[in-house]
């Protein structure tokens, strides 16, 4: 007897797989001992995703107890249901989700990411979160250049690089963001905008212009602060501690600088 799921057209099945395998918070990549990795959920599964996943299991063959025990936390449980679901869903979560790489005891996040990028052409979005100890060395090694080359060659790939020392609680948060703009994007527009809307050292602004470099990062390689979410309170408190930049009392000027920083969290540099 043919499963009810496989009686549906392939287009509808693919849509169902999308609902079952997509996670808005992304999936964490974890390296296994055999050099392969598995994708795990970062947050709890939503109710809709859970219902779809349970329905798929009921419509298909029963998953073995051994497979459940060994891969209980893996995101794609559908590929362990039967051979046909394995063939139709294997690798789809790489295509649908943002894959998050973090340092582990064997490899840093950038080495893990380059390894997966070479083997998985369906990968569309990656987030690299290195620790403070590994970030400085990783940025200048061959792995960082490999990711840059992949972004240049593939317009459909987005790489999100989280800088561990670019923290909104730091008094130099805004200045460091402007430094990245000037050096990595060869862009001083926001530097001039900040000088117009705040009381900033003119010496500091001129120094940023000297830091410009002719080589830009590809537009699909974005630089993000350490934290994933903007905190208005933390940002204003860090600005008050910075001797070079003081926010004026005018509401419009404060809003202009705040919107600039919010864009860094949402879209990156």
């Amino acid at each position: 007897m043919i499963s009810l799921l496989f009686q549906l057209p392939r287009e509808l099945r693919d849509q169902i797989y999308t609902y079952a395998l997509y996670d808005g918070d992304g999936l964490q990549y974890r390296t296994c001992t055999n050099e392969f990795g598995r994708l795990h959920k970062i947050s709890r599964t939503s109710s809709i995703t859970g219902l779809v996943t349970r329905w798929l299991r009921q419509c298909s063959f029963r998953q073995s107890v051994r497979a459940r025990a060994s891969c209980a936390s893996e995101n794609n449980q559908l590929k362990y249901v039967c051979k046909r679901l394995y063939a139709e869903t294997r690798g789809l979560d790489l295509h649908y989700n943002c894959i998050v790489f973090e340092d582990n005891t064997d490899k840093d996040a950038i080495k893990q990411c380059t390894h997966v990028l070479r083997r998985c052409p369906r990968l569309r979005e990656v987030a690299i979160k290195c620790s403070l100890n590994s970030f400085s060395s990783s940025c200048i090694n061959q792995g960082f250049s490999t990711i840059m080359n992949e972004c240049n060659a593939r317009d459909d790939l987005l790489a999100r690089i989280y800088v561990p020392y670019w923290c909104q609680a730091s008094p130099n948060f805004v200045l460091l963001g402007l430094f990245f703009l000037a050096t990595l994007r060869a862009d001083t527009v926001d530097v001039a905008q900040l000088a117009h809307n705040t009381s900033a050292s003119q010496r500091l602004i001129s120094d940023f212009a000297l830091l410009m470099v002719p080589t830009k990062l590809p537009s699909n390689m974005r630089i993000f602060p350490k934290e994933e979410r903007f905190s208005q309170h933390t940002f204003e408190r860090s600005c008050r501690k910075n001797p070079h930049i003081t926010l004026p009392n005018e509401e419009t000027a404060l809003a202009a600088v705040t919107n600039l920083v919010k864009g860094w969290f949402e879209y990156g540099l």
Side-chain angles (χ1 to χ4, degrees):
M1 180 178 178
I2 300 178
S3 167
L4 295 176
L5 173 65
F6 298 127
Q7 294 179 21
L8 298 174
R10 179 59 190 266
E11 293 80 6
L12 290 180
R13 296 204 303 274
D14 287 341
Q15 189 65 37
I16 293 173
Y17 300 152
T18 303
Y19 286 119
L21 299 177
Y22 172 75
D23 193 303
D25 293 326
L27 300 176
Q28 185 178 23
Y29 180 86
R30 297 179 186 173
T31 306
C32 301
T33 55
N34 58 0
E35 291 297 321
F36 290 91
R38 288 177 178 168
L39 301 177
H40 298 262
K41 291 185 178 298
I42 298 176
S43 61
R44 290 184 298 177
T45 305
S46 65
S47 57
I48 295 179
T49 303
L51 289 173
V52 172
T53 304
R54 286 193 294 270
W55 179 80
L56 285 171
R57 291 175 180 172
Q58 293 172 359
C59 290
S60 301
F61 301 97
R62 181 170 297 180
Q63 187 180 9
S64 67
V65 175
R66 183 178 180 181
R68 288 182 188 175
S70 61
C71 308
S73 61
E74 191 175 0
N75 179 61
N76 185 6
Q77 295 288 301
L78 302 178
K79 64 182 181 181
Y80 297 111
V81 175
C82 64
K83 291 183 178 179
R84 188 168 178 181
L85 271 178
Y86 179 88
E88 292 189 358
T89 66
R90 183 170 180 256
L92 287 183
D93 39 6
L94 283 169
H95 182 74
Y96 295 147
N97 296 281
C98 176
I99 310 303
V100 180
F101 297 89
E102 296 182 353
D103 292 353
N104 58 33
T105 55
D106 299 322
K107 291 182 179 180
D108 63 42
I110 288 186
K111 289 182 180 179
Q112 295 178 60
C113 182
T114 54
H115 175 74
V116 177
L117 279 174
R118 293 191 185 102
R119 301 183 57 180
C120 304
R122 304 189 70 177
L123 199 58
R124 292 295 177 265
E125 185 175 355
V126 297
I128 301 173
K129 299 181 178 180
C130 291
S131 65
L132 188 60
N133 293 331
S134 65
F135 186 79
S136 58
S137 59
S138 296
C139 282
I140 59 176
N141 66 12
Q142 185 178 0
F144 194 83
S145 300
T146 300
I147 296 175
M148 186 183 302
N149 293 334
E150 288 287 338
C151 289
N152 280 319
R154 297 171 50 184
D155 293 336
D156 58 346
L157 175 65
L158 174 62
R160 305 164 63 96
I161 313 295
Y162 289 85
V163 182
Y165 55 82
W166 188 22
C167 175
Q168 62 183 320
S170 169
N172 295 318
F173 174 73
V174 176
L175 299 182
L176 191 55
L178 296 175
F179 172 80
F180 288 143
L181 276 174
T183 55
L184 303 179
R185 297 292 179 193
D187 182 3
T188 57
V189 174
D190 287 330
V191 178
Q193 183 69 23
L194 182 79
H196 177 73
N197 290 317
T198 65
S199 300
S201 170
Q202 292 300 320
R203 170 68 183 277
L204 183 67
I205 299 302
S206 62
D207 288 346
F208 275 119
L210 299 176
L211 295 172
M212 292 181 62
V213 293
T215 304
K216 297 182 181 180
L217 288 180
S219 59
N220 54 342
M221 189 173 184
R222 313 299 298 180
I223 307 299
F224 287 83
K226 175 184 178 181
E227 303 92 345
E228 295 186 3
R229 292 175 176 83
F230 172 75
S231 170
Q232 180 84 27
H233 175 72
T234 303
F235 167 67
E236 293 181 357
R237 184 175 58 183
S238 66
C239 285
R240 287 194 296 268
K241 295 179 180 179
N242 192 302
H244 297 290
I245 295 179
T246 56
L247 295 176
N249 294 326
E250 290 81 358
E251 183 177 352
T252 55
L254 178 59
V257 179
T258 302
N259 288 336
L260 168 66
V261 174
K262 285 182 177 179
W264 294 350
F265 283 89
E266 186 174 358
Y267 305 109
L269 299 181

